[in-house]
Amino acid sequence: MILKGRYDLQLDQFIPDLTKLVNTTIVEPVNYDLLAGLGLIELQGFSSSRQETILNPKVLVEEINTAIMDCKKLYDNVV
Amino acid sequence: MSLNPDQMFWQRTINRIYNGSGKRIVVPDDFRSRMQQIHTLFDNDYTGIVSTIIDFMVGTGTVPMNFITDNDNLTRTLQNWSVHQLNKDINLDIPKGLEALTTQYMRERFRSSFLCLNIVWDKIDGLILPSKMWFADGASIIVQPDEEGRLDKKKYFLGDVDNEIKMTTKNTTAIIRKPYNAWYDDYPTPYLVKRGVLYNAMLKRALINKQSDVIEEMIPYLLMIRAGDANLVAKNAMGDIEAQLTKVKDSLKKQRMIEQQMLEFLAT
């Protein structure tokens, strides 16, 4: 494909800025929602100098423990 | 306001990319369609998160279970049954033992959340114990609710309505559990749907697909060759400019001389 234009024409003057479309901030909230749904709750703001994130796995661990206890109850019903 | 040809071109390109993007992300209402989406997600986890964490949950949830009774012989028999006898020699791809069954429990719980445990009873070391235990595919279970809504009349089928799952027969038992739902719910809400994971996974897929559509569409434009590039001069890629300029100057001088000679001739 050949573009015929003024000699000083730059590509970014007529093609939209693509970096906005692939910016990580678009998908980032969805990732946090996915993690939260799976029981990893995001905790922010443990440092004033830079952004830090800690994922609290308490809900996830509780879910696994509940699953183990339910499984044990099921086996208790059988044997 | 009318668009110039360049603007119209980009308008068309953007319309093509975003064609169909008006569709909202909707998690299906019915159990079977939800399970199709969940199977697609586990088969090829486009989120890069869900499958990893569910595998972790299945792995950590698969704990060894011991049987302890007041009678040593009974304890030994049950231990032997749970490790060596259960599901022995079913097929070459079926592992024996209770721990392997627990893995299946965890997988089914976090996929369909529709747990149907099938048991075949047999005599093992003098005791009537399950010789075979397995979880049916929760996604294949059909529920036929009672017209009056009675819990004890609800029927379950595997695959089709000719294959009813019976609670007990001569040497078999079936147990159904829906860990995240009320007793009166016919079909369970899968764990991933209940926690909003499926919705967010579908949303992420839509975003990623759209981004890749845009990139694929734009790459040819980014790579296009530009005629008359100003950088060619800087790169000295236009040949001997001084010589070309002298040539043009000479040509102009020559033209001017011809014009003067013509004017002088006309004056005489």
Side-chain angles (χ1 to χ4, degrees), chain A residues 1-3 7 9 14-15 21-22 27 30-31 33-35 37 40 63-64 67-68 70 75 77-78, chain B residues 10 49 53 57 60-61 102 105 109 121 177 180 195 197 200 204 211 214-215 221 224-228 230:
Chain A
M1 190 186 294
I2 297 176
L3 166 69
Y7 75 93
L9 183 69
F14 69 102
I15 288 185
L21 293 164
V22 289
V27 180
V30 183
N31 283 341
D33 286 349
L34 279 170
L35 290 169
L40 291 162
E63 182 60 50
I64 296 167
I68 293 167
D70 282 355
Y75 294 158
N77 283 352
V78 175
Chain B
W10 288 110
I49 293 174
I53 293 178
M57 292 169 86
T60 47
T102 307
Y105 172 91
R109 183 186 175 103
W121 300 91
R177 293 285 179 271
Y180 302 106
R195 300 296 167 97
V197 176
N200 281 298
K204 188 170 179 181
Q211 284 178 338
V214 171
I215 290 165
Y221 298 112
M224 74 189 158
I225 300 161
R226 282 180 293 170

Side-chain angles (χ1 to χ4, degrees), chain B residues 55-72:
Chain B
D55 283 352
F56 170 79
M57 292 169 86
V58 170
T60 47
T62 306
V63 291
M65 293 195 189
N66 296 317
F67 292 87
I68 299 164
T69 68
D70 295 335
N71 183 316
D72 286 349

